Each structure stands twice: as C-alpha cells, then as structure tokens.
Amino acid sequence: MLKRFFVEDALKAEEDDEIELVGWVRNKRTHGGLIFLDLRDSTGVIQVALKKGIADEESFRTAEEIRLESAVRVKGIIKHDPRAPSGVELRCKSLEVLGPSLDEFPIKKNAGLRFLLDHRHLHIRSPKIAAVMKIRAILVDSARNWLRDHGFIEIHCPSFITAAVEGGATLFKVDYFNRTVYLTQSVQLYQEAAIYGLERVYSLQPSFRAELSRTRRHLTEFWHLEVEVAYAELEDIMKIIEELFYSMVLGVYDRGRKELEFLGIELDPKVAEPPYPKIRYSEALDILLSKGFDIKWGDDFGADEERELSKEFEKPFFVTHWPREAKAFYHLPDPVDPRVCRNADLLAPGGYGEVVGGGQRIHDYNQLIERLRENGLNPEDYQWYLDLRKYGSIPHSGFGLGIERMLWWLLKLPHIRDACLFPRTPARVYP
Ligand code: NSS
C-alpha cells in the first residue's frame, strides 16, 4: 500500500518538519496578503498558510483562484502556532491542484436541511458526518468481535422473500419476473433454519419496512443485526442482548474517543452496564396509563409511548411478556399466562425507545399453525418454516438490533437518518 502522510500525522509533527499532504480545500480566507486554506482529509483538518516569498508565485496564484473542495497536494513546513485552529499550521511552499472543482461548491454555511439532504452525496464530506460514520463502523466491528468471541457464525440470508415476517402492512412489493415477492423485514426465519446446522448464528444486513410513520426513528431501509441461538430460552437471550449491547458501547468508548470528543459527546459506558431493569408489559402499561396515555391492554406501543416510558429510565431496560396480539406470530405464548408471549424489547433510556426486539420462538408444529391462523396468515405460505418444527425441533430464541437506532441513541443524534450515509425514508430515495 502507498505510504501516505495524513493530516492527523501532520498535527503531531515536529516544528520545521517538511511534509507533503493531499486533501480537499474545505475553507479559504485571505488576510493581509496571506491566504489560509483549511485542508481536509479523512483524518482531520489542518490550516495551510500561503505567504508570498515562502510559497512560489504559481502556488500563490493557484490559491487565490482555487474553489472550495478542489483536491490538492501541498508541500510545506510544520509550524506550531497557537493562532491556528488546531495549534499547528502548514506553511505552504508549493500547492498543486489534483482535481479542480469545476463549479462553486453548492453547500454553504446555513444551508437548509432539505438542501443538505438533496446534496447528501456532497454533504457527507463534512468531518462531522465522517466522525459519525467512523463510530458506526466501530459499533458494528465491536458487535462482530463479541459475537465471534462467543462462538457465533456469521451467515448471509436472502432479501427477496415470499411471506411476511413482521406483519403484512409494512412489506415492500417487488416485481420478480412477473411474480410478486417482497423485500424482507428481518432474516429471522432463515436464521431459525440455519441454527439446525450452526446453532449460534448472526447476520448483519439491511431490512426493509414500508413504514409511512414520519418519526425521528423510522427508516424504510435499515441495517439489522440479528442473532439466533439454539436451545436458548427468553432469559438466556436477554443475557446475550445485555452483554452484546454493553460490549458495543464499550467498543465505541474505547476506540471512538477522538470522534466522540470531536462530536462533543460525553459517553459514560456505565449507562450500559448490565444488568438492565426488566419490567413486564403490564407494568409498562400502568406507567403509561398513569401518565395519561389513552392506551389499553393489548396495544403495541408507538413512538410517543416509548419516548415517555423511556424517560423513566437511566439505563437501557427490557419490556417483557407482551400480549400475543401486539406482536408477530412466531413469539412463544407463555405457558404460565398464555395471554402474553415470552418476548422482550430493549428500550434505550432518556426518550429514545426500542432498539432491540426479540424473544423465544414457538418450536411446536401445531402451536405454530394455530398462531399463524390467529394472525390471519395462511400456513401454506409458511410451509418451509413449518417444516423446521417437524424434524428435531428444539427451543430457540433470538433478537434483532437496529444499528441506526442504537447509534441515534448513543450519539444523541437529532434524527435517525443522521446515522446513515444515505438515509432511506418514505420521502427520500435520492441521492
Ligand atoms: O420488528 S423488530 O422489533 N423485530 C424483528 O424484526 C425480529 N424479527 C428480529 C429478530 O428477532 N430476529 O425489529 C428489530 C429492531 C427494532 O428493535 C429496531 O431497532 C429496528 O429493528 N427497526 C428499525 N430501525 C429503523 N427503522 C425502522 N423502520 C425499524 N424497524 C425496526
């Protein structure tokens, strides 16, 4: 690999070191015969100063005319100068344009939200968005590390499917050679098939939901970390959720310090240290009723309910034992109280809400048929899934974690789309 010197190296260089950088011109100021360029690369921003006499004549003229976001190569000398924004300045000797900006860069200070989203392909050059994406990568990497260290096998499942996982209302239809198929809402059903060969599996891939809800927490395409474990019961899977979740927060805390600091986020990993509070749906309902919500037993919680409920907690917390009518067909009804299922959602505290959904699955053939019918679904559409209950079926549990939801909470982002490079929402599929 080409050995390159990056801005972060330049910021640590010694006085009078002679260095060469490549990057993009983020900003330009002229000041009494001096030209200052802010040079950005993937690691940071450094001030480049051009002064006649130090920079050659042609370089100075180039700097005078240069448009923002042109790609350049700069050679110069490192000077520590408290007046420079990062305390270090590169005194330019020569400046060469590698890729000019053909027009004026369209993104200006104070650009509106809509304009920025329309120009997301250019806006993602901003160091702030880059920092969020680096933390996202660390978050995912930390999850993979934990899962690998605990014996989970990564699998890859299809996204074209023929029957709903999470309810028909949010399925995206696809024309598949003149036949209607759907984009999957979750790869859970395939994972349930995979555990019979692999026992502990996980997938990280997009899920799709035609959710028209215009909330700060819904995307139509999101990255879904899903886990499925043979022989695990509800309590086991909740332990796995806690440990995995904590390891992801710790990973960001340990390896994302520079980015967290840059974003002004004070992350205390103690907020995610297990064990997490566990309340039953019925208790959560009582809290909501006491807060004046118009909600009755059996209703699923919406964004408003989750927000208010989660304000009551300082740590992530589980809401368990949801009414069977509130959740999908595959959840195992509780043998002790069959009005509820052995499932659990993990909600992030402080007004954020659901980040993980999961629980124990039905593993009995007849019970699954019954629950499919109860949900108005046709067992014939689930033949292969029913087959899994015919041959050596065992108790098993799993869950799905929304990567963007977790990042939204962790970084206190204004909107879930800020966790995505190119967000997909009902109103936005471009760029
Ligand atoms: O619907 S879930 O609660 N559960 C499932 O899909 C299970 N089939 C997962 C499993 O057990 N393997 O979704 C799981 C998580 C949820 O907690 C959110 O964090 C995220 O997926 N999620 C979303 N994120 C962003 N936008 C939307 N629309 C969305 N829907 C779910």
Side-chain angles (χ1 to χ4, degrees):
M1 257 274 274
L2 189 69
K3 174 98 180 82
R4 237 187 73 190
F5 208 68
F6 288 95
V7 166
E8 68 180 355
D9 306 314
L11 293 174
K12 288 184 232 147
E14 304 278 328
E15 186 80 355
D16 293 327
D17 276 358
E18 208 161 330
I19 62 159
E20 178 181 312
L21 289 172
V22 291
W24 291 268
V25 178
R26 180 167 168 73
N27 232 322
K28 177 173 147 179
R29 298 175 296 279
T30 46
H31 189 71
L34 277 170
I35 301 174
F36 293 104
L37 304 178
D38 288 340
L39 185 79
R40 169 184 64 75
D41 71 7
S42 60
T43 67
V45 180
I46 189 169
Q47 174 168 295
V48 175
L50 289 102
K51 191 178 179 183
K52 271 193 185 142
I54 300 178
D56 63 58
E57 202 126 305
E58 200 184 324
S59 298
F60 196 85
R61 223 171 311 119
T62 304
E64 277 179 319
E65 282 161 22
I66 204 159
R67 289 198 176 108
L68 297 191
E69 289 302 319
S70 297
V72 293
R73 174 182 291 130
V74 186
K75 289 182 191 160
I77 294 168
I78 289 291
K79 290 286 174 193
H80 291 84
D81 187 333
R83 288 168 303 177
S86 46
V88 180
E89 178 177 279
L90 185 61
R91 299 263 159 89
C92 176
K93 287 180 144 182
S94 75
L95 172 76
E96 177 195 350
V97 175
L98 302 176
S101 287
L102 304 182
D103 286 321
E104 220 177 289
F105 194 63
I107 297 182
K108 305 267 179 345
K109 278 206 176 90
N110 307 323
L113 179 63
R114 184 150 180 196
F115 185 87
L116 291 176
L117 286 168
D118 284 341
H119 292 83
R120 186 85 180 159
H121 51 298
L122 301 176
H123 189 208
I124 56 174
R125 300 174 177 209
S126 101
K128 213 167 157 181
I129 298 179
V132 173
M133 292 308 138
K134 284 181 194 173
I135 290 180
R136 181 177 169 135
I138 294 169
L139 188 73
V140 164
D141 193 47
S142 307
R144 282 207 161 100
N145 286 343
W146 190 92
L147 288 159
R148 186 197 52 237
D149 291 349
H150 290 80
F152 288 80
I153 309 290
E154 176 165 355
I155 60 169
H156 306 120
C157 300
S159 294
F160 290 132
I161 51 145
T162 56
V165 188
E166 294 296 328
T170 63
L171 280 175
F172 274 113
K173 279 187 194 163
V174 180
D175 177 2
Y176 194 80
F177 307 113
N178 298 324
R179 159 179 180 212
T180 298
V181 301
Y182 310 98
L183 291 176
T184 199
Q185 303 152 311
S186 154
V187 298
Q188 177 193 324
L189 308 192
Y190 294 103
Q191 292 198 328
E192 287 186 62
I195 58 163
Y196 288 89
L198 299 166
E199 300 210 23
R200 298 178 150 232
V201 298
Y202 76 97
S203 313
L204 181 62
Q205 52 187 99
S207 282
F208 303 88
R209 303 212 180 170
E211 258 169 314
L212 259 177
S213 31
R214 289 177 202 281
T215 68
R216 295 188 301 133
R217 50 172 228 166
H218 281 97
L219 296 164
T220 51
E221 178 175 358
F222 64 95
W223 277 74
H224 207 169
L225 176 64
E226 298 191 72
V227 171
E228 197 69 30
V229 187
Y231 302 105
E233 303 204 6
L234 175 63
E235 294 71 20
D236 306 313
I237 208 72
M238 285 164 71
K239 268 225 131 47
I240 292 176
I241 294 171
E242 280 181 340
E243 283 185 34
L244 172 65
F245 197 87
Y246 184 44
S247 78
M248 291 168 78
V249 173
L250 273 183
V252 168
Y253 178 72
D254 287 338
R255 292 158 58 203
R257 279 183 201 213
K258 190 177 142 201
E259 287 73 25
L260 289 171
E261 196 182 314
F262 179 73
L263 293 170
I265 303 283
E266 271 179 47
L267 175 64
D268 179 2
K270 276 211 171 65
V271 299
E273 194 177 334
Y276 299 160
K278 299 169 181 70
I279 58 168
R280 286 184 165 243
Y281 169 88
S282 52
E283 296 167 76
L285 191 70
D286 287 343
I287 297 176
L288 290 170
L289 288 172
S290 75
K291 285 176 158 248
F293 274 92
D294 179 21
I295 185 169
K296 58 180 193 315
W297 204 93
D299 291 344
D300 199 357
F301 300 162
D304 293 343
E305 285 85 1
E306 283 183 19
R307 188 178 52 245
E308 289 309 313
L309 182 63
S310 76
K311 284 183 183 164
E312 301 291 301
F313 292 83
E314 275 164 18
K315 270 191 178 190
F317 62 103
F318 287 105
V319 179
T320 68
H321 301 86
W322 292 73
R324 50 202 288 164
E325 57 266 46
K327 297 280 178 189
F329 66 90
Y330 52 74
H331 290 288
L332 178 71
D334 187 352
V336 182
D337 176 5
R339 294 179 313 148
V340 298
C341 291
R342 284 176 55 75
N343 51 12
D345 283 357
L346 184 74
L347 279 71
Y352 286 84
E354 187 194 332
V355 179
V356 179
Q360 193 164 344
R361 326 301 192 187
I362 296 174
H363 63 281
D364 177 77
Y365 183 82
N366 292 318
Q367 191 178 21
L368 184 55
I369 291 191
E370 201 182 297
R371 275 280 287 160
L372 280 165
R373 293 217 172 100
E374 191 180 307
N375 277 266
L377 297 166
N378 182 356
E380 272 177 29
D381 294 337
Y382 294 85
Q383 266 319 317
W384 71 259
Y385 185 64
L386 280 161
D387 258 1
L388 305 177
R389 277 70 185 165
K390 274 189 176 167
Y391 307 102
S393 186
I394 42 125
H396 60 285
S397 302
F399 63 89
L401 177 155
I403 294 294
E404 294 86 356
R405 285 263 179 103
M406 183 162 177
L407 209 57
W408 174 53
W409 164 70
L410 200 63
L411 301 184
K412 309 287 177 264
L413 300 170
H415 194 289
I416 193 169
R417 68 178 161 238
D418 299 317
C420 311
L421 205 52
F422 290 100
R424 292 292 177 254
T425 58
R428 188 155 295 279
V429 279
Y430 175 94

